[in-house]
Amino acid sequence: MSKPSRTPSLSQLRAFTAVAQHLHFREAAAEIGMSQPALSGAVAALEESLDVRLLERTTRRVLLSPAGERVAARARAVLDAVGELLEEAEAARAPFTGTLRLGVIPTCAPYLLPTVLGLVHERYPKLELRVHEEQTDSLLDGLTAGRLDLLLLAVPLGLPGVTELPLFDEDFVLVMERGHALAGRTDVPRERLRDLPLLLLDEGHCLRDQALEICREAGRADRRRDASGEVTTTAAGLSTLVQLVAGGLGVTLLPHTALRLETARNDRLATGCFAHPAPSRRIALAMRAGTAREQEFTELASALREALSALPVRPIAA
């Protein structure tokens, strides 16, 4: 005699959980749309496959055996899990549903997220957006590990296995204390960065690296350290940085999208724009190469280019 299979079918589990709930074969059969003989046969087959008695049948009623009570709880959990799996698969087949874990760098989050969130809420109401604000290295680790699905950050990254979807370019603006000789100018030469006391973000911010690269292109020596070798004044975020500028400690570079929010809070700040071509940065979405959601993310990038065009940026054609 062959050994019974120990892998029950879903139909057997559904039949048994219905009986366990109603303790009545006719009512259970009606609930799941099964004939009573078929239901009875499915439960008997489950008992055989598990090699355990699940029900105690009498002429008047049906009772769960001690083993049946335990198996019924497990069977319900299995059927619930299968239902969730089917829902996830349905979401995967339908774009812009389910969960999207979006990573954003701190120098973009406060200035771009209102537009991003507004777009998602209006155009993709079934998409559950979860936002993670982290520095670039952490975001890339999260993308590679599968913790994050999509990133909004400065590029180029130049990393294998990561596909960039450029959104826009934006200029950097020089922020200084009111009354500075460069305040209000629209033709500031990059070369002026050689001698200005430039304030930077802390290590790890891509904007810090971009600012230093702009300075190097302008011919500025690396003077981030004082005579004792200590790093000069830095800040953890742009809001602190501009307050240091307002306090007379130096000047800084802000991306144009951050300018309105960060300078509106202090009337001691002034700005100056660089002569053409101004130093700039490129912002993009980044995804894992070959992701199953590539078409969805490409469509999202296109929608974001349109929505973000209202900001002081230069959208990039797809």
Side-chain angles (χ1 to χ4, degrees):
M1 182 176 179
S2 62
K3 186 177 179 179
S5 168
R6 290 192 174 275
T7 304
S9 68
L10 292 178
S11 62
Q12 291 171 359
L13 294 179
R14 290 192 186 96
F16 172 60
T17 55
V19 174
Q21 178 182 353
H22 294 281
L23 296 178
H24 197 289
F25 275 85
R26 186 176 64 250
E27 293 176 4
E31 179 185 298
I32 63 176
M34 211 176 200
S35 70
Q36 191 169 333
L39 178 77
S40 181
V43 173
L46 179 62
E47 289 180 313
E48 182 179 356
S49 67
L50 297 179
D51 195 21
V52 66
R53 186 177 179 185
L54 302 174
L55 301 176
E56 296 178 3
R57 303 169 178 84
T58 70
T59 56
R60 296 186 177 182
R61 59 179 183 171
V62 177
L63 297 175
L64 289 175
S65 70
E69 292 180 357
R70 295 195 298 272
V71 171
R74 292 289 186 180
R76 280 190 290 268
V78 169
L79 293 174
D80 288 344
V82 170
E84 292 173 1
L85 183 149
L86 294 175
E87 289 176 2
E88 287 294 331
E90 177 64 26
R93 289 194 298 271
F96 302 108
T97 59
T99 301
L100 172 58
R101 299 164 298 178
L102 176 68
V104 190
I105 56 174
T107 58
C108 281
Y111 322 112
L112 303 185
L113 279 179
T115 301
V116 174
L117 296 175
L119 171 70
V120 170
H121 178 74
E122 179 180 347
R123 190 173 298 192
Y124 312 117
K126 295 184 178 180
L127 184 64
E128 180 187 354
L129 190 63
R130 297 179 184 176
V131 177
H132 302 262
E133 183 185 21
E134 303 169 22
Q135 293 184 7
T136 300
D137 287 346
S138 177
L139 292 180
L140 290 172
D141 288 343
L143 184 69
T144 302
R147 177 173 60 85
L148 299 172
D149 304 309
L150 191 65
L151 308 181
L152 178 60
L153 73 178
V155 296
L157 301 169
L159 296 176
V162 177
T163 300
E164 300 171 10
L165 301 171
L167 299 177
F168 62 81
D169 292 325
E170 65 173 326
D171 292 340
F172 284 104
V173 178
L174 191 63
V175 180
M176 64 207 77
E177 192 177 9
R178 191 178 61 185
H180 194 283
L182 297 177
R185 286 185 56 173
T186 58
D187 59 349
V188 177
R190 290 196 193 197
E191 291 73 20
R192 291 300 303 270
L193 291 173
R194 296 174 183 173
D195 304 311
L196 293 172
L198 187 66
L199 303 179
L200 300 171
L201 289 173
D202 291 337
E203 295 278 0
H205 287 278
C206 61
L207 186 56
R208 174 193 177 95
D209 298 331
Q210 291 161 356
L212 290 173
E213 181 60 29
I214 292 168
C215 290
R216 281 191 287 270
E217 291 173 356
R220 180 188 178 114
D222 188 351
R223 295 196 300 274
R224 289 173 290 167
R225 299 178 183 273
D226 60 22
S228 67
E230 294 297 324
V231 177
T232 55
T233 303
T234 61
L238 293 183
S239 296
T240 302
L241 204 60
V242 296
Q243 297 312 311
L244 295 176
V245 172
L249 296 186
V251 302
T252 196
L253 295 171
L254 282 188
H256 208 155
T257 51
L259 195 63
R260 180 178 176 183
L261 178 61
E262 297 300 345
T263 61
R265 291 179 275 192
N266 197 315
D267 59 7
R268 290 178 293 174
L269 293 169
T271 61
C273 296
F274 289 94
H276 182 78
S280 63
R281 70 173 182 174
R282 175 163 291 186
I283 300 300
L285 293 178
M287 61 184 176
R288 288 183 296 277
T291 175
R293 304 177 74 176
E294 180 175 355
Q295 183 175 353
E296 178 183 350
F297 293 161
T298 300
E299 181 180 335
L300 177 61
S302 179
L304 280 175
R305 290 187 193 101
E306 180 181 351
L308 294 167
S309 64
L311 302 179
V313 300
R314 298 185 300 278
I316 298 171

